[in-house]
Amino acid sequence: MQTKDKVNLVNVFILLYFATTFVELASGFFGFRPLVLLCRIAAPFLLIAIYRHNATRANPMVYTLFGLLLMTNILFFYKESPYFSLALVISVVQRLVMLLIVFQTVVKMRYATTFLASVPFLVIFYYLNSITSEFTLFEFNTLFFQSILVSLLGGMSVSSYLRNDNRQNSWLLISILLFVGLQFVLFIERYFFTVISLRVFGLIGVVLNAVGFFTFYKFVNAAEKERKE
């Protein structure tokens, strides 16, 4: 009975998480910014609750990742302020933590295959960086380093999935591809449409970010269960 209650509680948290994402989308579309900020604060806490109640063995780095998510959610809310640069730095740390979690979780990683699988992502992001003229030097260096980390995550997820398409690696591949898409949206929204405001890209970014972190949690959870079995 206790296990069933626990599952029901986790399902309630998951429902609240996606409901929060929907409310953030609706609030962003209609321009109700205070509610957008409230939803951005609530989402990481809901992910922490989902993970804490469903984890077989809690990983402190996962809590660190969701804590960093809280910080970037708040700082990226203020896009036209100096907080944006700080948010970029924290998002780099965020990707580093994700990389460490994947290194810690994925067994028998083939480094040569991972590097080769990372190359297409690196080429695409390098091209985007090189054709963008709106960067400050700090933003260029920060985003370039972040693109390298995302590309490595992409290579790791693709090579792991091709080696073994189990549930763990399937969730990892889905999650990282969503983060790759989020990186594209960041470039497009911030640097290619500075005059014409395209609100739709911001809404797409919200969905990619929310689903990306949820599927990354699913990856961690699936990996923990496979290790326990």
Side-chain angles (χ1 to χ4, degrees):
M1 185 68 178
Q2 186 177 1
T3 304
K4 186 178 179 181
D5 289 341
K6 190 175 181 180
V7 170
N8 290 337
L9 182 60
V10 170
N11 289 335
V12 169
F13 285 136
I14 292 172
L15 182 63
L16 285 172
Y17 177 74
F18 284 104
T20 299
T21 303
F22 176 78
V23 172
E24 182 181 349
L25 285 170
S27 302
F29 182 80
F30 291 109
F32 192 50
R33 287 175 59 82
L35 191 54
V36 171
L37 181 59
L38 182 63
C39 291
R40 290 191 176 194
I41 294 171
F45 286 107
L46 288 169
L47 280 174
I48 289 171
I50 293 167
Y51 178 69
R52 187 173 71 85
H53 284 85
N54 212 23
T56 55
R57 187 180 62 182
N59 185 343
M61 284 199 292
V62 177
Y63 290 116
T64 302
L65 179 65
F66 294 151
L68 292 168
L69 172 63
L70 174 63
M71 296 172 70
T72 53
N73 276 1
I74 295 172
L75 293 171
F76 273 129
F77 179 77
Y78 302 99
K79 290 182 180 179
E80 305 306 324
S81 73
Y83 292 128
F84 183 82
S85 297
L86 179 59
L88 283 178
V89 174
I90 296 174
S91 66
V92 168
V93 179
Q94 195 181 82
R95 297 298 181 260
L96 274 172
V97 172
M98 291 179 71
L99 204 60
L100 290 172
I101 292 171
V102 176
F103 266 119
Q104 183 186 64
T105 305
V106 176
V107 295
K108 297 179 180 179
M109 187 176 296
R110 297 176 180 176
Y111 295 100
T113 308
T114 297
F115 175 75
L116 289 174
S118 302
V119 170
F121 298 105
L122 285 167
V123 170
I124 293 169
F125 286 129
Y126 177 77
Y127 174 74
L128 285 175
N129 276 51
S130 64
I131 64 173
T132 305
S133 59
E134 299 295 329
F135 289 131
T136 64
L137 181 60
F138 174 80
E139 286 184 353
F140 178 86
N141 292 332
T142 307
L143 272 171
F144 185 70
F145 186 52
Q146 186 186 67
S147 298
I148 292 174
L149 295 176
V150 173
S151 299
L152 287 173
L153 284 166
M156 291 168 70
S157 65
V158 170
S159 62
S160 298
Y161 179 79
L162 292 176
R163 180 174 54 83
N164 185 3
D165 58 345
N166 58 12
R167 181 178 298 180
Q168 166 191 325
N169 292 333
S170 297
W171 282 120
L172 177 62
L173 180 64
I174 294 168
S175 174
I176 300 306
L177 289 179
L178 289 168
F179 285 119
V180 169
L182 183 62
Q183 193 79 358
F184 277 112
V185 168
L186 178 63
F187 276 102
I188 293 169
E189 182 191 17
R190 176 77 179 180
Y191 300 108
F192 290 99
F193 293 97
T194 54
V195 177
I196 304 171
S197 176
L198 295 178
R199 187 180 296 178
V200 65
F201 285 108
L203 300 179
I204 292 171
V206 170
V207 174
L208 291 174
N209 192 59
V211 182
F213 274 100
F214 180 78
T215 50
F216 192 81
Y217 145 75
K218 294 290 287 185
F219 152 69
V220 173
N221 188 53
E224 289 176 353
K225 287 182 177 178
E226 286 187 18
R227 196 159 46 228
K228 186 179 179 182
E229 293 171 359

CSV table of all heavy atoms in Angstrom, one decimal, residues 95-149:
chain,number,residue,atom,x,y,z
A,95,ARG,N,25.6,22.3,-17.7
A,95,ARG,CA,26.0,21.3,-18.7
A,95,ARG,C,27.2,20.4,-18.3
A,95,ARG,O,27.2,19.2,-18.5
A,95,ARG,CB,26.3,21.9,-20.1
A,95,ARG,CG,25.2,22.7,-20.7
A,95,ARG,CD,24.0,21.8,-21.0
A,95,ARG,NE,22.9,22.5,-21.7
A,95,ARG,CZ,21.8,23.0,-21.1
A,95,ARG,NH1,21.6,22.7,-19.8
A,95,ARG,NH2,20.9,23.6,-21.7
A,96,LEU,N,28.1,21.0,-17.5
A,96,LEU,CA,29.2,20.3,-17.0
A,96,LEU,C,28.7,19.2,-16.0
A,96,LEU,O,29.2,18.1,-16.0
A,96,LEU,CB,30.2,21.2,-16.3
A,96,LEU,CG,31.3,21.9,-17.1
A,96,LEU,CD1,32.0,22.9,-16.3
A,96,LEU,CD2,32.2,20.8,-17.6
A,97,VAL,N,27.8,19.6,-15.1
A,97,VAL,CA,27.2,18.7,-14.2
A,97,VAL,C,26.5,17.6,-14.9
A,97,VAL,O,26.6,16.4,-14.5
A,97,VAL,CB,26.2,19.4,-13.2
A,97,VAL,CG1,25.5,18.4,-12.3
A,97,VAL,CG2,27.0,20.4,-12.3
A,98,MET,N,25.7,17.9,-16.0
A,98,MET,CA,25.1,16.9,-16.7
A,98,MET,C,26.1,15.9,-17.3
A,98,MET,O,25.9,14.7,-17.3
A,98,MET,CB,24.2,17.5,-17.9
A,98,MET,CG,23.0,18.3,-17.4
A,98,MET,SD,22.1,19.0,-18.8
A,98,MET,CE,21.4,17.6,-19.5
A,99,LEU,N,27.2,16.4,-17.8
A,99,LEU,CA,28.2,15.6,-18.4
A,99,LEU,C,28.8,14.7,-17.3
A,99,LEU,O,29.0,13.5,-17.6
A,99,LEU,CB,29.3,16.5,-19.0
A,99,LEU,CG,30.3,16.0,-20.1
A,99,LEU,CD1,29.5,15.6,-21.3
A,99,LEU,CD2,31.3,17.0,-20.4
A,100,LEU,N,29.0,15.2,-16.1
A,100,LEU,CA,29.5,14.3,-15.1
A,100,LEU,C,28.5,13.2,-14.7
A,100,LEU,O,28.9,12.1,-14.4
A,100,LEU,CB,29.8,15.2,-13.8
A,100,LEU,CG,31.0,16.1,-13.9
A,100,LEU,CD1,31.1,17.1,-12.7
A,100,LEU,CD2,32.3,15.3,-14.1
A,101,ILE,N,27.3,13.6,-14.7
A,101,ILE,CA,26.2,12.6,-14.3
A,101,ILE,C,26.2,11.5,-15.4
A,101,ILE,O,26.2,10.3,-15.1
A,101,ILE,CB,24.8,13.2,-14.2
A,101,ILE,CG1,24.8,14.1,-13.0
A,101,ILE,CG2,23.7,12.2,-14.1
A,101,ILE,CD1,23.5,15.0,-12.9
A,102,VAL,N,26.3,11.8,-16.7
A,102,VAL,CA,26.3,10.8,-17.7
A,102,VAL,C,27.6,10.0,-17.7
A,102,VAL,O,27.5,8.8,-17.8
A,102,VAL,CB,26.2,11.5,-19.1
A,102,VAL,CG1,26.3,10.5,-20.2
A,102,VAL,CG2,24.9,12.3,-19.2
A,103,PHE,N,28.8,10.6,-17.4
A,103,PHE,CA,30.0,9.9,-17.3
A,103,PHE,C,29.9,8.9,-16.1
A,103,PHE,O,30.3,7.7,-16.2
A,103,PHE,CB,31.2,10.8,-17.0
A,103,PHE,CG,31.9,11.2,-18.2
A,103,PHE,CD1,32.0,12.5,-18.6
A,103,PHE,CD2,32.6,10.2,-19.0
A,103,PHE,CE1,32.7,12.9,-19.7
A,103,PHE,CE2,33.3,10.6,-20.1
A,103,PHE,CZ,33.4,11.9,-20.5
A,104,GLN,N,29.3,9.3,-15.0
A,104,GLN,CA,29.1,8.5,-13.9
A,104,GLN,C,28.1,7.3,-14.1
A,104,GLN,O,28.3,6.2,-13.5
A,104,GLN,CB,28.6,9.3,-12.7
A,104,GLN,CG,28.4,8.6,-11.4
A,104,GLN,CD,27.8,9.5,-10.3
A,104,GLN,OE1,26.7,10.0,-10.5
A,104,GLN,NE2,28.6,9.9,-9.3
A,105,THR,N,27.1,7.5,-15.0
A,105,THR,CA,26.1,6.6,-15.2
A,105,THR,C,26.3,5.6,-16.3
A,105,THR,O,26.0,4.4,-16.1
A,105,THR,CB,24.7,7.4,-15.4
A,105,THR,OG1,24.5,8.3,-14.4
A,105,THR,CG2,23.6,6.4,-15.5
A,106,VAL,N,26.8,6.1,-17.4
A,106,VAL,CA,27.0,5.2,-18.6
A,106,VAL,C,28.2,4.3,-18.4
A,106,VAL,O,29.3,4.8,-18.2
A,106,VAL,CB,27.1,6.0,-19.9
A,106,VAL,CG1,27.4,5.1,-21.1
A,106,VAL,CG2,25.8,6.8,-20.1
A,107,VAL,N,28.1,3.0,-18.5
A,107,VAL,CA,29.2,2.1,-18.3
A,107,VAL,C,29.8,1.7,-19.7
A,107,VAL,O,29.1,1.8,-20.7
A,107,VAL,CB,28.7,0.8,-17.6
A,107,VAL,CG1,28.3,1.2,-16.2
A,107,VAL,CG2,27.6,0.1,-18.3
A,108,LYS,N,31.0,1.4,-19.7
A,108,LYS,CA,31.7,0.9,-20.9
A,108,LYS,C,31.6,1.9,-22.1
A,108,LYS,O,31.2,1.6,-23.2
A,108,LYS,CB,31.2,-0.5,-21.3
A,108,LYS,CG,31.5,-1.6,-20.3
A,108,LYS,CD,30.9,-2.9,-20.8
A,108,LYS,CE,31.2,-4.0,-19.8
A,108,LYS,NZ,30.6,-5.3,-20.2
A,109,MET,N,31.9,3.2,-21.8
A,109,MET,CA,31.8,4.2,-22.8
A,109,MET,C,33.0,4.1,-23.8
A,109,MET,O,34.1,3.9,-23.4
A,109,MET,CB,31.8,5.6,-22.2
A,109,MET,CG,31.5,6.7,-23.1
A,109,MET,SD,31.4,8.3,-22.3
A,109,MET,CE,30.0,8.0,-21.3
A,110,ARG,N,32.7,4.2,-25.1
A,110,ARG,CA,33.7,4.1,-26.1
A,110,ARG,C,34.0,5.5,-26.5
A,110,ARG,O,33.3,6.2,-27.2
A,110,ARG,CB,33.2,3.3,-27.3
A,110,ARG,CG,32.9,1.8,-26.9
A,110,ARG,CD,32.3,1.0,-28.0
A,110,ARG,NE,32.1,-0.3,-27.7
A,110,ARG,CZ,31.5,-1.3,-28.5
A,110,ARG,NH1,31.1,-0.9,-29.7
A,110,ARG,NH2,31.3,-2.5,-28.0
A,111,TYR,N,35.2,6.0,-26.1
A,111,TYR,CA,35.6,7.4,-26.3
A,111,TYR,C,35.8,7.8,-27.8
A,111,TYR,O,35.4,8.9,-28.2
A,111,TYR,CB,36.8,7.7,-25.5
A,111,TYR,CG,36.6,7.6,-24.0
A,111,TYR,CD1,37.0,6.4,-23.3
A,111,TYR,CD2,35.9,8.5,-23.3
A,111,TYR,CE1,36.8,6.3,-21.9
A,111,TYR,CE2,35.7,8.4,-21.9
A,111,TYR,CZ,36.1,7.3,-21.3
A,111,TYR,OH,35.9,7.1,-19.9
A,112,ALA,N,36.3,6.9,-28.6
A,112,ALA,CA,36.5,7.2,-30.0
A,112,ALA,C,35.2,7.4,-30.7
A,112,ALA,O,35.0,8.3,-31.5
A,112,ALA,CB,37.3,6.1,-30.7
A,113,THR,N,34.2,6.5,-30.4
A,113,THR,CA,32.9,6.6,-31.0
A,113,THR,C,32.2,7.8,-30.5
A,113,THR,O,31.5,8.5,-31.3
A,113,THR,CB,32.0,5.3,-30.6
A,113,THR,OG1,32.8,4.2,-31.0
A,113,THR,CG2,30.7,5.3,-31.4
A,114,THR,N,32.3,8.1,-29.2
A,114,THR,CA,31.7,9.4,-28.7
A,114,THR,C,32.3,10.6,-29.4
A,114,THR,O,31.5,11.5,-29.7
A,114,THR,CB,32.0,9.4,-27.2
A,114,THR,OG1,31.4,8.3,-26.5
A,114,THR,CG2,31.4,10.7,-26.6
A,115,PHE,N,33.6,10.7,-29.6
A,115,PHE,CA,34.2,11.8,-30.2
A,115,PHE,C,33.6,12.0,-31.7
A,115,PHE,O,33.3,13.1,-32.1
A,115,PHE,CB,35.7,11.7,-30.2
A,115,PHE,CG,36.4,12.8,-31.0
A,115,PHE,CD1,36.4,14.1,-30.5
A,115,PHE,CD2,36.9,12.6,-32.3
A,115,PHE,CE1,37.1,15.1,-31.2
A,115,PHE,CE2,37.5,13.6,-33.0
A,115,PHE,CZ,37.6,14.9,-32.5
A,116,LEU,N,33.6,10.9,-32.4
A,116,LEU,CA,33.1,10.9,-33.8
A,116,LEU,C,31.7,11.3,-33.9
A,116,LEU,O,31.3,12.1,-34.7
A,116,LEU,CB,33.3,9.5,-34.4
A,116,LEU,CG,34.7,9.1,-34.8
A,116,LEU,CD1,34.8,7.7,-35.3
A,116,LEU,CD2,35.4,10.1,-35.8
A,117,ALA,N,30.9,10.8,-32.9
A,117,ALA,CA,29.4,11.2,-32.9
A,117,ALA,C,29.3,12.7,-32.5
A,117,ALA,O,28.2,13.3,-32.8
A,117,ALA,CB,28.7,10.3,-31.9
A,118,SER,N,30.2,13.3,-31.8
A,118,SER,CA,30.2,14.7,-31.4
A,118,SER,C,30.5,15.6,-32.5
A,118,SER,O,30.1,16.8,-32.5
A,118,SER,CB,31.1,14.9,-30.2
A,118,SER,OG,30.8,14.1,-29.1
A,119,VAL,N,31.2,15.2,-33.5
A,119,VAL,CA,31.8,16.1,-34.5
A,119,VAL,C,30.6,16.8,-35.3
A,119,VAL,O,30.7,18.0,-35.5
A,119,VAL,CB,32.7,15.3,-35.5
A,119,VAL,CG1,33.0,16.1,-36.7
A,119,VAL,CG2,34.0,14.9,-34.8
A,120,PRO,N,29.6,16.1,-35.7
A,120,PRO,CA,28.5,16.9,-36.5
A,120,PRO,C,27.9,18.0,-35.6
A,120,PRO,O,27.6,19.1,-36.2
A,120,PRO,CB,27.5,15.8,-36.8
A,120,PRO,CG,28.2,14.5,-36.8
A,120,PRO,CD,29.3,14.7,-35.7
A,121,PHE,N,27.7,17.7,-34.3
A,121,PHE,CA,27.2,18.8,-33.5
A,121,PHE,C,28.1,19.9,-33.3
A,121,PHE,O,27.8,21.1,-33.4
A,121,PHE,CB,26.9,18.2,-32.1
A,121,PHE,CG,25.8,17.1,-32.0
A,121,PHE,CD1,26.2,15.8,-31.9
A,121,PHE,CD2,24.5,17.4,-32.2
A,121,PHE,CE1,25.3,14.8,-31.8
A,121,PHE,CE2,23.5,16.4,-32.1
A,121,PHE,CZ,23.9,15.1,-32.0
A,122,LEU,N,29.4,19.6,-33.2
A,122,LEU,CA,30.5,20.7,-33.1
A,122,LEU,C,30.5,21.5,-34.3
A,122,LEU,O,30.6,22.8,-34.2
A,122,LEU,CB,31.8,20.0,-32.9
A,122,LEU,CG,32.1,19.5,-31.4
A,122,LEU,CD1,33.4,18.6,-31.5
A,122,LEU,CD2,32.3,20.6,-30.5
A,123,VAL,N,30.4,20.9,-35.5
A,123,VAL,CA,30.5,21.6,-36.8
A,123,VAL,C,29.3,22.6,-36.9
A,123,VAL,O,29.5,23.8,-37.3
A,123,VAL,CB,30.5,20.7,-38.0
A,123,VAL,CG1,30.3,21.4,-39.3
A,123,VAL,CG2,31.8,19.9,-38.0
A,124,ILE,N,28.1,22.1,-36.6
A,124,ILE,CA,26.9,23.0,-36.7
A,124,ILE,C,27.0,24.1,-35.7
A,124,ILE,O,26.7,25.3,-36.1
A,124,ILE,CB,25.7,22.1,-36.4
A,124,ILE,CG1,25.5,21.1,-37.5
A,124,ILE,CG2,24.4,23.0,-36.3
A,124,ILE,CD1,24.4,20.0,-37.2
A,125,PHE,N,27.4,23.9,-34.5
A,125,PHE,CA,27.4,25.0,-33.5
A,125,PHE,C,28.6,25.9,-33.8
A,125,PHE,O,28.4,27.2,-33.6
A,125,PHE,CB,27.5,24.4,-32.1
A,125,PHE,CG,26.3,23.8,-31.6
A,125,PHE,CD1,26.3,22.5,-31.0
A,125,PHE,CD2,25.1,24.5,-31.6
A,125,PHE,CE1,25.1,22.0,-30.5
A,125,PHE,CE2,23.9,24.0,-31.1
A,125,PHE,CZ,23.9,22.7,-30.6
A,126,TYR,N,29.7,25.4,-34.3
A,126,TYR,CA,30.8,26.3,-34.7
A,126,TYR,C,30.3,27.3,-35.8
A,126,TYR,O,30.6,28.5,-35.8
A,126,TYR,CB,32.0,25.5,-35.1
A,126,TYR,CG,33.1,26.4,-35.6
A,126,TYR,CD1,33.9,27.0,-34.7
A,126,TYR,CD2,33.3,26.6,-37.0
A,126,TYR,CE1,35.0,27.9,-35.1
A,126,TYR,CE2,34.4,27.4,-37.4
A,126,TYR,CZ,35.2,28.0,-36.5
A,126,TYR,OH,36.2,28.8,-36.9
A,127,TYR,N,29.6,26.7,-36.8
A,127,TYR,CA,29.0,27.5,-37.9
A,127,TYR,C,28.1,28.6,-37.3
A,127,TYR,O,28.2,29.8,-37.7
A,127,TYR,CB,28.3,26.7,-38.9
A,127,TYR,CG,27.6,27.5,-40.0
A,127,TYR,CD1,28.4,28.1,-41.0
A,127,TYR,CD2,26.3,27.6,-40.0
A,127,TYR,CE1,27.8,28.8,-42.0
A,127,TYR,CE2,25.6,28.4,-41.0
A,127,TYR,CZ,26.4,28.9,-42.0
A,127,TYR,OH,25.8,29.7,-42.9
A,128,LEU,N,27.2,28.3,-36.4
A,128,LEU,CA,26.3,29.2,-35.8
A,128,LEU,C,27.1,30.3,-35.1
A,128,LEU,O,26.7,31.5,-35.2
A,128,LEU,CB,25.3,28.6,-34.9
A,128,LEU,CG,24.2,27.7,-35.6
A,128,LEU,CD1,23.4,27.0,-34.5
A,128,LEU,CD2,23.3,28.6,-36.4
A,129,ASN,N,28.1,29.9,-34.3
A,129,ASN,CA,28.9,30.9,-33.6
A,129,ASN,C,29.6,31.9,-34.6
A,129,ASN,O,29.7,33.1,-34.4
A,129,ASN,CB,29.9,30.2,-32.8
A,129,ASN,CG,29.4,29.8,-31.4
A,129,ASN,OD1,28.4,29.1,-31.3
A,129,ASN,ND2,30.1,30.1,-30.4
A,130,SER,N,30.1,31.3,-35.7
A,130,SER,CA,31.0,32.1,-36.6
A,130,SER,C,30.2,33.1,-37.4
A,130,SER,O,30.7,34.1,-37.8
A,130,SER,CB,31.7,31.2,-37.5
A,130,SER,OG,30.8,30.5,-38.4
A,131,ILE,N,28.9,32.8,-37.7
A,131,ILE,CA,28.1,33.7,-38.5
A,131,ILE,C,27.3,34.8,-37.7
A,131,ILE,O,26.6,35.6,-38.2
A,131,ILE,CB,27.1,33.0,-39.4
A,131,ILE,CG1,26.1,32.2,-38.6
A,131,ILE,CG2,27.9,32.1,-40.4
A,131,ILE,CD1,25.0,31.6,-39.4
A,132,THR,N,27.5,34.7,-36.4
A,132,THR,CA,26.7,35.6,-35.5
A,132,THR,C,27.6,36.7,-35.1
A,132,THR,O,28.7,36.6,-34.5
A,132,THR,CB,26.2,34.8,-34.2
A,132,THR,OG1,25.5,33.7,-34.6
A,132,THR,CG2,25.4,35.7,-33.4
A,133,SER,N,27.1,37.9,-35.4
A,133,SER,CA,27.9,39.1,-35.2
A,133,SER,C,27.5,39.9,-33.9
A,133,SER,O,28.1,41.0,-33.6
A,133,SER,CB,27.8,40.1,-36.4
A,133,SER,OG,26.5,40.4,-36.7
A,134,GLU,N,26.4,39.5,-33.3
A,134,GLU,CA,25.8,40.2,-32.2
A,134,GLU,C,26.5,39.9,-30.8
A,134,GLU,O,26.1,40.4,-29.8
A,134,GLU,CB,24.3,40.0,-32.1
A,134,GLU,CG,23.5,40.4,-33.3
A,134,GLU,CD,23.6,41.9,-33.6
A,134,GLU,OE1,23.7,42.6,-32.6
A,134,GLU,OE2,23.6,42.3,-34.7
A,135,PHE,N,27.5,39.0,-30.8
A,135,PHE,CA,28.1,38.6,-29.6
A,135,PHE,C,29.0,39.6,-29.0
A,135,PHE,O,29.7,40.3,-29.7
A,135,PHE,CB,28.9,37.3,-29.7
A,135,PHE,CG,28.2,36.1,-30.0
A,135,PHE,CD1,28.5,35.2,-31.0
A,135,PHE,CD2,27.1,35.7,-29.2
A,135,PHE,CE1,27.8,34.1,-31.3
A,135,PHE,CE2,26.4,34.5,-29.4
A,135,PHE,CZ,26.8,33.7,-30.5
A,136,THR,N,29.0,39.8,-27.7
A,136,THR,CA,30.2,40.3,-27.0
A,136,THR,C,31.2,39.2,-27.0
A,136,THR,O,30.9,38.1,-27.1
A,136,THR,CB,29.9,40.8,-25.6
A,136,THR,OG1,29.5,39.7,-24.8
A,136,THR,CG2,28.7,41.8,-25.7
A,137,LEU,N,32.5,39.6,-26.7
A,137,LEU,CA,33.5,38.6,-26.6
A,137,LEU,C,33.3,37.6,-25.5
A,137,LEU,O,33.5,36.4,-25.7
A,137,LEU,CB,34.9,39.3,-26.4
A,137,LEU,CG,36.1,38.3,-26.3
A,137,LEU,CD1,36.3,37.5,-27.6
A,137,LEU,CD2,37.4,39.1,-26.0
A,138,PHE,N,32.7,38.1,-24.4
A,138,PHE,CA,32.4,37.2,-23.2
A,138,PHE,C,31.3,36.2,-23.6
A,138,PHE,O,31.4,35.0,-23.4
A,138,PHE,CB,32.0,38.1,-22.0
A,138,PHE,CG,31.5,37.2,-20.9
A,138,PHE,CD1,32.4,36.6,-20.0
A,138,PHE,CD2,30.1,37.0,-20.7
A,138,PHE,CE1,31.9,35.9,-19.0
A,138,PHE,CE2,29.7,36.3,-19.6
A,138,PHE,CZ,30.6,35.7,-18.7
A,139,GLU,N,30.3,36.7,-24.3
A,139,GLU,CA,29.2,35.8,-24.7
A,139,GLU,C,29.6,34.8,-25.7
A,139,GLU,O,29.2,33.6,-25.7
A,139,GLU,CB,28.0,36.6,-25.2
A,139,GLU,CG,27.2,37.4,-24.1
A,139,GLU,CD,26.0,38.1,-24.7
A,139,GLU,OE1,25.8,38.1,-26.0
A,139,GLU,OE2,25.2,38.6,-23.9
A,140,PHE,N,30.5,35.3,-26.6
A,140,PHE,CA,31.0,34.3,-27.7
A,140,PHE,C,31.8,33.2,-27.0
A,140,PHE,O,31.5,32.0,-27.3
A,140,PHE,CB,31.9,35.1,-28.6
A,140,PHE,CG,32.5,34.2,-29.7
A,140,PHE,CD1,31.9,34.0,-30.9
A,140,PHE,CD2,33.8,33.6,-29.5
A,140,PHE,CE1,32.4,33.1,-31.8
A,140,PHE,CE2,34.3,32.8,-30.4
A,140,PHE,CZ,33.7,32.6,-31.6
A,141,ASN,N,32.7,33.5,-26.1
A,141,ASN,CA,33.5,32.5,-25.5
A,141,ASN,C,32.6,31.5,-24.6
A,141,ASN,O,32.8,30.3,-24.6
A,141,ASN,CB,34.6,33.1,-24.6
A,141,ASN,CG,35.6,33.8,-25.4
A,141,ASN,OD1,35.9,33.4,-26.6
A,141,ASN,ND2,36.3,34.8,-24.9
A,142,THR,N,31.7,32.1,-23.9
A,142,THR,CA,30.8,31.3,-23.0
A,142,THR,C,29.9,30.4,-23.8
A,142,THR,O,29.8,29.2,-23.5
A,142,THR,CB,29.9,32.2,-22.1
A,142,THR,OG1,30.8,33.2,-21.4
A,142,THR,CG2,29.2,31.4,-21.1
A,143,LEU,N,29.3,30.9,-24.9
A,143,LEU,CA,28.4,30.1,-25.7
A,143,LEU,C,29.2,29.1,-26.5
A,143,LEU,O,28.7,27.9,-26.7
A,143,LEU,CB,27.6,31.0,-26.6
A,143,LEU,CG,26.3,31.5,-26.0
A,143,LEU,CD1,25.7,32.5,-27.0
A,143,LEU,CD2,25.3,30.4,-25.8
A,144,PHE,N,30.4,29.4,-26.9
A,144,PHE,CA,31.2,28.4,-27.6
A,144,PHE,C,31.6,27.3,-26.7
A,144,PHE,O,31.5,26.1,-27.2
A,144,PHE,CB,32.5,29.1,-28.1
A,144,PHE,CG,33.4,28.2,-29.0
A,144,PHE,CD1,32.9,27.9,-30.3
A,144,PHE,CD2,34.6,27.7,-28.6
A,144,PHE,CE1,33.7,27.0,-31.1
A,144,PHE,CE2,35.3,26.9,-29.4
A,144,PHE,CZ,34.9,26.6,-30.6
A,145,PHE,N,32.0,27.5,-25.5
A,145,PHE,CA,32.3,26.5,-24.5
A,145,PHE,C,31.0,25.6,-24.2
A,145,PHE,O,31.1,24.4,-24.2
A,145,PHE,CB,32.9,27.0,-23.3
A,145,PHE,CG,33.4,26.0,-22.3
A,145,PHE,CD1,34.2,25.0,-22.7
A,145,PHE,CD2,33.0,26.0,-21.0
A,145,PHE,CE1,34.7,24.0,-21.8
A,145,PHE,CE2,33.4,25.1,-20.1
A,145,PHE,CZ,34.3,24.1,-20.5
A,146,GLN,N,29.9,26.3,-24.1
A,146,GLN,CA,28.7,25.6,-23.8
A,146,GLN,C,28.3,24.7,-25.0
A,146,GLN,O,27.8,23.6,-24.8
A,146,GLN,CB,27.5,26.6,-23.6
A,146,GLN,CG,26.2,25.9,-23.2
A,146,GLN,CD,25.1,27.0,-23.1
A,146,GLN,OE1,24.7,27.5,-24.1
A,146,GLN,NE2,24.6,27.2,-21.9
A,147,SER,N,28.5,25.2,-26.2
A,147,SER,CA,28.3,24.4,-27.4
A,147,SER,C,29.1,23.1,-27.5
A,147,SER,O,28.7,22.1,-27.9
A,147,SER,CB,28.5,25.2,-28.7
A,147,SER,OG,27.6,26.3,-28.7
A,148,ILE,N,30.4,23.3,-27.0
A,148,ILE,CA,31.3,22.1,-27.0
A,148,ILE,C,30.7,21.0,-26.0
A,148,ILE,O,30.7,19.8,-26.3
A,148,ILE,CB,32.7,22.5,-26.6
A,148,ILE,CG1,33.4,23.3,-27.6
A,148,ILE,CG2,33.6,21.3,-26.2
A,148,ILE,CD1,34.7,23.9,-27.3
A,149,LEU,N,30.2,21.5,-24.8
A,149,LEU,CA,29.7,20.6,-23.8
A,149,LEU,C,28.4,19.9,-24.4
A,149,LEU,O,28.2,18.7,-24.2
A,149,LEU,CB,29.4,21.3,-22.6
A,149,LEU,CG,30.6,21.9,-21.8
A,149,LEU,CD1,30.1,22.7,-20.6
A,149,LEU,CD2,31.6,20.8,-21.4
